[in-house]
Amino acid sequence: MKNIGIVAEYNPFHNGHAYHIEQARKIAGGGSVIAVMSASFVQRGEPAAFDKFTRTAMALQGGADMVLELPDILSLSCAERFALGGVRILSASGIADRLCFGSESGDIDALRRAADSKLSGDELSSALSSGLSYPAAAARQLRAHGIGVGSNNPNDVLGIEYIRALNRIAPAIRPFAVRRIGCGYNENTLPENYASASAVRSALLHLTDSENICRGDVLSAISGSVPPFVLLEIQKQLSEQRAPAALSGAVLYRLRCMTGDELSRIADVSEGLENPILRAAKSASNIAELLNAVKTKRYTLARLKRILFNALLGITREQQELAAYSDDALYIRVLGIRQSKLHLLSELQENAALPIVLRRSDAESLPFNAKQTLELTRRASLIRALACP
């Protein structure tokens, strides 16, 4: 077995993703590339710009051989749980012995050292009490211990969590890091070859924000950053008003219907954070206003956004922890597969350690908690559809 796994969002698929898959295939030595992909909502705390089946088709055309679903209960979670979910599903598939992730540094040895480092609880608590967010506090402590990786590198930070997840639940799977090329994770420029997904999404969202922006100009601007088949699909989705996705009113409605006790049980909510969120929700006219009212150095913007969409979907802390830290609430759902790689389905059915969902009838035999996760994922897909123009 030389198959290699990737945990991704493809939001949307771009040239950097194609490069990552190409490098992963070289590492696999001719084996298949299996992607575990976020479903309808993504780790930044947003609805995916395109639905999961459109993004699956993009990934398969871009070089992936099989795409498995990362349920929304885990795609809308912190880096640790996101990584655990992706690794748990990949490991349970039984058909991949490697994991390849993107990295700003590309230094797998440094990432391994960072993953193995033990941060002092007192040191971390002190950093958090000073007002730093958890990622900033953890990065400061890593540097204090002589590990510079991950300070301002989101892919490195996530890579560290992938390695920790492998060490914890899948030590037989070997990690590999592919150095990220082109623009950084959060850069919004559109160069000729390798833009970030953020830049592509930003350009598409401007189409809905202003009537003065020409669609042709936007498509021309992103054309150098995405493969031709992705550009054609984006044109189709825009013409059918199925993208880009943006939700705001529904989130505010949901928050205004919740009590403080209800919100306190939502994933990622702690330390009384429900109170400022509910106060802001009463007067904010959109998500941006709400976030501006409650943001602090202590809480990252991504965490606050995840809270809003976890609230919209009704994802509680208890549900998310169950899915991340045990196999009880998970399943393996195949979103798509290349015609030439159908043998992977047979291998999956022979080796999988979790229930496999290929058709609707498979859901009926799932254990209770896994069935609840699948129902939540279906609900998330329906709610995301409300976000389309």
Side-chain angles (χ1 to χ4, degrees):
M1 178 174 61
K2 290 185 178 181
N3 301 328
I4 193 163
I6 291 173
V7 183
E9 300 197 299
Y10 300 139
N11 187 37
F13 194 91
H14 56 65
N15 292 340
H17 294 134
Y19 173 78
H20 181 201
I21 290 175
E22 177 187 342
Q23 297 304 305
R25 192 177 301 283
K26 288 179 180 178
I27 293 169
S32 298
V33 176
I34 300 163
V36 180
M37 188 189 76
S38 298
S40 299
F41 289 79
V42 296
Q43 212 252 339
R44 282 175 175 267
E46 299 171 353
F50 301 92
D51 70 82
K52 59 190 174 187
F53 295 109
T54 295
R55 286 158 40 237
T56 293
M58 290 177 177
L60 294 175
Q61 283 187 272
D65 295 305
M66 174 187 273
V67 180
L68 306 178
E69 179 174 80
L70 180 64
D72 297 275
I73 198 170
L74 290 171
S75 64
L76 271 173
S77 62
C78 65
E80 177 189 348
R81 294 173 187 173
F82 180 92
L84 274 168
V87 167
R88 194 175 293 281
I89 289 172
L90 187 67
S91 173
S93 74
I95 57 174
D97 57 5
R98 306 169 192 199
L99 171 67
C100 180
F101 54 83
S103 159
E104 287 86 2
S105 69
D107 189 340
I108 191 65
D109 292 329
L111 292 168
R112 282 180 181 274
R113 291 196 302 273
D116 292 338
S117 67
K118 303 297 182 183
L119 298 179
S120 162
D122 291 339
E123 289 176 310
L124 192 58
S125 296
S126 176
L128 290 171
S129 64
S130 71
L132 292 178
S133 66
Y134 179 84
R140 190 170 81 173
Q141 294 312 114
L142 287 173
R143 291 195 299 273
H145 288 268
I147 301 171
V149 171
S151 56
N152 291 303
N153 302 344
N155 292 108
D156 280 340
V157 170
L158 191 54
I160 291 168
E161 294 299 340
Y162 287 136
I163 295 171
R164 285 176 174 160
L166 291 174
N167 291 342
R168 179 173 180 168
I169 60 175
I173 295 179
R174 186 180 174 190
F176 292 85
V178 169
R179 186 167 187 173
R180 186 185 179 106
I181 57 176
C183 288
Y185 181 78
N186 289 311
E187 288 185 45
N188 273 332
T189 57
L190 286 166
E192 184 61 30
N193 294 316
Y194 295 105
S196 68
S198 297
V200 176
R201 288 195 306 273
S202 179
L204 295 175
L205 286 172
H206 284 162
L207 287 174
T208 61
D209 292 340
S210 172
E211 296 178 357
N212 298 321
I213 297 178
C214 173
R215 177 179 296 180
D217 290 344
V218 171
L219 292 173
S220 177
I222 67 174
S223 63
S225 304
V226 300
F229 62 84
V230 171
L231 188 66
L232 287 173
E233 183 60 36
I234 288 175
Q235 288 178 296
K236 177 184 176 184
Q237 294 268 323
L238 291 174
S239 66
E240 296 175 354
Q241 293 194 325
R242 294 169 59 195
L247 277 168
S248 195
V251 170
L252 293 176
Y253 168 79
R254 175 63 179 143
L255 291 173
R256 291 179 184 185
C257 291
M258 297 182 79
T259 66
D261 185 55
E262 288 172 330
L263 187 56
S264 70
R265 294 196 293 269
I266 292 298
D268 259 339
V269 177
S270 63
E271 302 169 320
L273 191 52
E274 67 274 12
N275 297 315
I277 290 176
L278 290 182
R279 282 196 300 269
K282 291 178 181 178
S283 58
S285 59
N286 54 52
I287 288 178
E289 283 186 16
L290 190 156
L291 292 170
N292 190 57
V294 299
K295 67 180 181 181
T296 67
K297 288 193 302 181
R298 180 68 173 271
Y299 305 108
T300 64
L301 189 61
R303 176 179 174 179
L304 293 174
K305 289 162 68 178
R306 286 196 300 270
I307 287 172
L308 302 186
F309 286 102
N310 279 324
L312 179 63
L313 299 177
I315 298 174
T316 66
R317 184 184 310 106
E318 182 182 9
Q319 289 173 318
Q320 196 174 86
E321 289 177 350
L322 181 65
Y325 300 114
S326 75
D327 290 338
D328 189 52
L330 288 181
Y331 52 84
I332 297 175
R333 185 182 188 190
V334 180
L335 294 178
I337 186 170
R338 280 177 179 264
Q339 190 72 22
S340 61
K341 296 286 185 172
L342 290 177
H343 66 273
L344 289 173
L345 286 178
S346 299
E347 294 177 23
L348 182 66
Q349 290 170 320
E350 290 175 10
N351 296 283
L354 285 173
I356 300 171
V357 176
L358 295 175
R359 56 190 67 83
R360 184 174 292 272
S361 58
D362 294 332
E364 299 306 315
S365 58
L366 288 176
F368 176 80
N369 288 326
K371 189 178 292 186
Q372 293 294 100
T373 298
L374 181 58
E375 285 303 315
L376 191 152
T377 305
R378 286 175 173 168
R379 184 197 315 158
S381 182
L382 293 172
I383 290 175
R384 184 209 158 273
L386 296 175
C388 300

